[in-house]
Amino acid sequence: MKQENIRNFCIIAHIDHGKSTLADRILELTGAIDKRELKSQMLDSMDLERERGITIKLNAVQLSYKCNNDLYQLNLIDTPGHVDFSYEVSRSLAACEGAILVVDAAQGVEAQTLANLYLALDNNLTVIPVINKIDLPSAEPERVITELENIGFNKEDIVLTSAKTGQGVEELLKKIIEVIPSPKGDRKNKLKALIFDSIFDSYRGVITSIRVVDGEVHVGDIIKMMETNASYDVVGLSINNPKEQEVKVLHAGEVGYLYASIKSISDVHVGDTITLEKDPAEESLPGYKPMKPTVYCGLYPIESNKFEDLRESLEKLKLNDAALTFEPETSKALGFGFRCGFLGLHHMEIVEDRIEREFGIDLIATSPSVVYEVELTDKTKIMVDSPTKMPKRELISKTYEPYVKCSIFTPSEYIGPLMELCQDKRGTFLNIDYIDTERVTINYELPLSEIVYDFFDRLKSSTKGYASFDYEVIGYKESNLVKMDILLNGEIVDALSVIVHKDFAYKRGRVVVEKLKEIIPRQLFEVPIQAAIGMHVIARETVRALRKDVLAKCYGGDITRKKKLLEKQKKGKKKMKQIGSVKVQQEAFLSILSTKE
Ligand SMILES: Nc1nc2c(ncn2[C@@H]2O[C@H](COP(=O)(O)OP(=O)(O)OP(=O)(O)O)[C@@H](O)[C@H]2O)c(=O)[nH]1
Ligand SMILES: [Mg+2]
């Protein structure tokens, strides 16, 4: 294929605005897939994506399209819309020259529409604005056109489509050919190929998704990874159209898969540049900025002998989810596991789910926490991403926590409940923007830890799911934070410790203590359950002891005899309490850790 006839583009949008459905129509129109074989959201190939109806992973396909009697190669990348997977979007953008920005004709411009648009502009991409779902009765294309004009687009450039009926899709394809530039690289230059994604395959080893920027790569070439210095023989190259199809060569401008029997996972870094060993490029491509996790939690295998398996699965998963971070951690209550970092709560949920499904390891996750900053009395500052790393209270002089600026897009009838929720979560009101008479954006500053706790559930329930929510971390603010421990029979259960704002510690403590009381089975001795800050107990419940009726056989008889029996029982229990320890079932942990008020 002539390089001038190649178009690389991705589809970006806010969640659910119809990217994957639009990709279906493009697959259909270009004849890549027979109408009868087409499932909806064809490119959402993971089970998890299909069940949840959302895209989690970027997905690249190569299509051929005949336009003005010329054949074109279209490399399309479908991306996720949810904010937690924006790393997938930014990696896709770096492999493209153009982006299709899809906006729902009924919803209009939303938080991720703007965020993704700015990402595309930062990467110098040509952006084609598309208003989708014009078939909906509630569609208001005129209003959305004005919104798009307000963010800098021209009315003439906007394409109106319905990914459901196919209306406007042909026009969109013509526009893509017309306005998106062909790739710039040079086939004669030394090979430079960007690894923008990867996956582990048990037969072929690591398969990388590459965008060839300069030069060309053939099956049989010896390649070198510029960052990790590893070299390998190229065993195979292929494209996805959307069935995998082997090819012999990938040229500058093209997108495809490369595999080279790579078994050692650490040799492959997403963002690295592939070049030829015998004739290497001088400079590597800029690659990607690593993402900083915003939410952490501990992941432990339920079966403790699965620790090494868990390590391996995290490594393999990281190939396919470059935003995931992890390091080993131990807990007295849960054994060996990993402290993992995620881009958000949804990301966390998906990772847990993928480990259980794809690798068959059952997990326990500790409560999510954010990264706190602690200034010690000797003026040094440390970052604390886990309650177990919190220094003793005497050593701390100040504590800081991350704050976010959040914008909630909502129908105006929910302003009241939403403001109440934000106040409740220690929020500071910033302002309300009236988009039109029915929709507003409420802006608040909130501690990230409050969002991590149970914000989403409450947001959903107080707005019947109509509000959409976006946040960006704005930095650290001083805050009165304490570590709250949970003690069972006087012993700290490390997996249940949390860092909380002092004013909220009592409330959080009560919830956990009451919940624990419900699930801990009665023992032969009395078990106190306490929530404590340092030595100071702030909440307590007691699981009463099982009691054998020692007086059962003592008919009538003398009162002193009864007293003696009871006294003996009491002594026995006291002794038992000293030596007895409380075994907490794993299920009990699970139910506590998923505590939702
Ligand atoms: N009526 C109508 N519904 C549409 C249209 N396009 C998409 N939908 C529906 O909108 C919902 C979301 O579509 P998707 O294609 O999964 O949206 P997406 O942008 O890929 O979502 P994420 O990848 O999760 O961000 C689905 O129920 C689609 O059937 C359209 O043009 N008209
Ligand atoms: Mg999608």
Side-chain angles (χ1 to χ4, degrees):
M1 181 69 61
K2 281 186 292 183
Q3 197 167 328
E4 310 90 82
N5 284 12
I6 300 179
R7 298 290 180 274
N8 292 314
F9 62 94
C10 50
I11 310 182
I12 54 176
H14 189 81
I15 188 164
D16 266 357
H17 283 198
K19 297 174 288 296
S20 305
T21 313
L22 187 61
D24 288 347
R25 293 293 86 70
I26 295 178
L27 289 177
E28 206 176 87
L29 250 179
T30 54
I33 188 100
D34 197 293
K35 237 195 170 123
R36 280 162 305 175
E37 286 178 60
L38 191 89
K39 300 180 278 185
S40 41
Q41 287 97 32
M42 189 80 196
L43 295 184
D44 289 347
S45 44
M46 278 161 60
D47 289 347
L48 207 61
E49 292 180 311
R50 305 199 66 82
E51 276 166 30
R52 296 187 181 225
I54 63 160
T55 307
I56 294 163
K57 281 296 299 169
L58 63 88
N59 208 330
V61 276
Q62 190 183 100
L63 309 163
S64 314
Y65 181 59
K66 206 162 178 188
C67 178
N68 312 324
N69 285 323
D70 222 350
L71 198 61
Y72 288 87
Q73 180 193 103
L74 307 180
N75 289 306
L76 172 162
I77 306 183
D78 182 27
T79 67
H82 193 285
V83 55
D84 281 11
F85 308 110
S86 60
Y87 201 41
E88 298 287 316
V89 180
S90 52
R91 295 205 322 280
S92 309
L93 292 168
C96 295
E97 281 77 38
I100 299 176
L101 179 70
V102 180
V103 184
D104 187 317
Q107 306 287 326
V109 170
E110 288 188 77
Q112 283 314 105
T113 318
L114 288 176
N116 288 339
L117 168 64
Y118 295 142
L119 276 179
L121 295 178
D122 279 348
N123 280 276
N124 294 318
L125 299 198
T126 305
V127 179
I128 303 178
V130 170
I131 299 179
N132 185 38
K133 307 200 189 179
I134 51 170
D135 60 287
L136 284 178
S138 55
E140 295 177 86
E142 286 307 317
R143 177 177 62 83
V144 183
I145 288 175
T146 318
E147 285 180 11
L148 283 170
E149 282 177 330
N150 289 344
I151 54 174
F153 290 105
N154 294 324
K155 189 171 176 178
E156 314 80 79
D157 297 333
I158 302 172
V159 185
L160 299 179
T161 63
S162 162
K164 188 173 175 192
T165 66
Q167 192 188 342
V169 180
E170 184 100 49
E171 190 196 333
L172 173 62
L173 282 177
K174 296 218 161 75
K175 196 106 186 180
I176 291 169
I177 304 283
E178 187 190 313
V179 306
I180 295 180
S182 57
K184 281 195 203 61
D186 192 335
R187 292 185 181 182
K188 294 190 201 70
N189 280 355
K190 299 179 179 191
L191 173 67
K192 271 187 197 175
L194 172 73
I195 306 179
F196 64 90
D197 198 9
S198 57
I199 188 164
F200 190 84
D201 178 285
S202 31
Y203 300 106
R204 292 184 280 179
V206 181
I207 303 177
T208 56
S209 293
I210 58 167
R211 155 72 198 264
V212 184
V213 175
D214 269 322
E216 46 193 37
V217 57
H218 298 257
V219 173
D221 281 345
I222 302 177
I223 51 158
K224 195 178 90 172
M225 316 272 182
M226 295 185 74
E227 193 185 320
T228 60
N229 249 324
S231 15
Y232 285 98
D233 283 358
V234 178
V235 174
L237 296 167
S238 61
I239 54 166
N240 175 19
N241 72 354
K243 290 196 186 74
E244 194 173 343
Q245 186 191 337
E246 304 260 319
V247 292
K248 287 277 163 261
V249 54
L250 286 173
H251 302 282
E254 293 185 308
V255 172
Y257 302 123
L258 177 153
Y259 44 96
S261 305
I262 306 173
K263 295 286 182 208
S264 137
I265 292 170
S266 55
D267 283 345
V268 180
H269 279 186
V270 168
D272 198 358
T273 307
I274 290 180
T275 191
L276 292 180
E277 188 174 59
K278 62 174 193 302
D279 188 16
E282 281 94 49
E283 257 178 63
S284 54
L285 298 162
Y288 303 113
K289 272 188 258 148
M291 289 297 263
K292 269 210 204 88
T294 47
V295 180
Y296 284 83
C297 82
L299 292 184
Y300 292 83
I302 287 190
E303 294 161 68
S304 51
N305 59 353
K306 287 268 172 86
F307 172 72
E308 281 304 325
D309 293 0
L310 179 57
R311 179 201 298 280
E312 206 181 307
S313 51
L314 282 166
E315 280 167 355
K316 285 179 181 166
L317 192 60
K318 186 171 166 69
L319 280 175
N320 199 230
D321 184 353
L324 171 68
T325 64
F326 57 91
E327 59 178 62
E329 169 185 85
T330 48
S331 149
K332 245 192 275 164
L334 300 173
F336 292 99
F338 292 91
R339 187 94 198 142
C340 303
F342 311 93
L343 296 187
L345 287 174
H346 197 52
H347 185 209
M348 178 172 106
E349 213 181 297
I350 295 290
V351 167
E352 285 172 37
D353 213 345
R354 286 187 73 181
I355 291 176
E356 300 199 336
R357 281 169 190 232
E358 293 171 29
F359 303 96
I361 300 174
D362 291 328
L363 293 174
I364 293 188
T366 60
S367 331
S369 98
V370 303
V371 189
Y372 297 98
E373 193 178 277
V374 175
E375 192 182 299
L376 302 175
T377 41
D378 64 3
K379 292 276 175 259
T380 50
K381 278 189 177 171
I382 56 167
M383 304 307 278
V384 175
D385 62 20
S386 150
T388 51
K389 295 183 189 160
M390 190 79 170
K392 286 211 173 67
R393 283 191 82 192
E394 322 67 277
L395 299 176
I396 298 174
S397 83
K398 281 180 184 152
T399 46
Y400 302 84
E401 65 177 326
Y403 266 71
V404 298
K405 178 171 173 257
C406 84
S407 340
I408 308 172
F409 286 65
T410 173
S412 42
E413 59 196 284
Y414 301 118
I415 296 177
L418 280 176
M419 289 183 70
E420 204 174 297
L421 169 64
C422 291
Q423 296 296 355
D424 211 26
K425 292 290 196 177
R426 298 192 277 137
T428 315
F429 174 74
L430 296 176
N431 61 332
I432 294 189
D433 289 332
Y434 287 86
I435 299 165
D436 50 37
T437 48
E438 273 130 53
R439 296 184 316 149
V440 299
T441 316
I442 309 176
N443 294 305
Y444 259 91
E445 257 180 43
L446 286 162
L448 179 62
S449 61
E450 293 292 341
I451 292 178
V452 161
Y453 186 45
D454 63 354
F455 190 80
F456 290 98
D457 296 312
R458 288 183 56 186
L459 181 80
K460 236 193 233 158
S461 61
S462 54
T463 61
K464 305 200 176 74
Y466 277 112
S468 79
F469 169 81
D470 187 34
Y471 64 86
E472 58 173 339
V473 179
I474 51 172
Y476 280 78
K477 286 190 179 187
E478 192 175 345
S479 187
N480 192 356
L481 302 165
V482 291
K483 179 181 167 204
M484 180 179 79
D485 295 314
I486 301 295
L487 291 85
L488 260 188
N489 202 17
E491 254 191 70
I492 294 180
V493 185
D494 56 1
L496 295 180
S497 298
V498 285
I499 296 172
V500 283
H501 190 275
K502 195 160 181 236
D503 299 347
F504 290 71
Y506 173 73
K507 207 166 131 203
R508 280 284 284 278
R510 273 248 67 86
V511 174
V512 180
V513 163
E514 275 165 21
K515 191 98 191 204
L516 264 177
K517 183 181 174 186
E518 278 167 35
I519 54 179
I520 290 187
R522 286 174 74 179
Q523 316 273 332
L524 288 170
F525 49 92
E526 192 179 274
V527 181
I529 307 167
Q530 296 157 308
I533 298 171
M535 302 299 284
H536 184 61
V537 174
I538 53 172
R540 174 185 167 125
E541 285 287 338
T542 310
V543 181
R544 297 254 158 261
L546 281 173
R547 200 151 159 226
K548 193 172 144 200
D549 189 0
V550 284
L551 303 183
K553 287 190 190 134
C554 191
Y555 306 106
D558 169 17
I559 182 80
T560 53
R561 167 90 187 123
K562 284 184 185 166
K563 269 198 179 141
K564 210 166 151 194
L565 281 172
L566 286 173
E567 235 9 83
K568 202 170 136 207
Q569 188 186 29
K570 223 179 184 173
K571 260 195 206 140
K573 290 222 181 281
K574 204 165 166 192
K575 195 164 159 207
M576 233 183 315
K577 185 170 172 174
Q578 280 162 1
I579 51 167
S581 69
V582 187
K583 272 261 176 285
V584 185
Q585 295 288 319
Q586 300 280 29
E587 294 90 78
F589 272 122
L590 285 177
S591 72
I592 290 287
L593 292 171
S594 64
T595 298
K596 304 253 156 66
E597 271 172 297

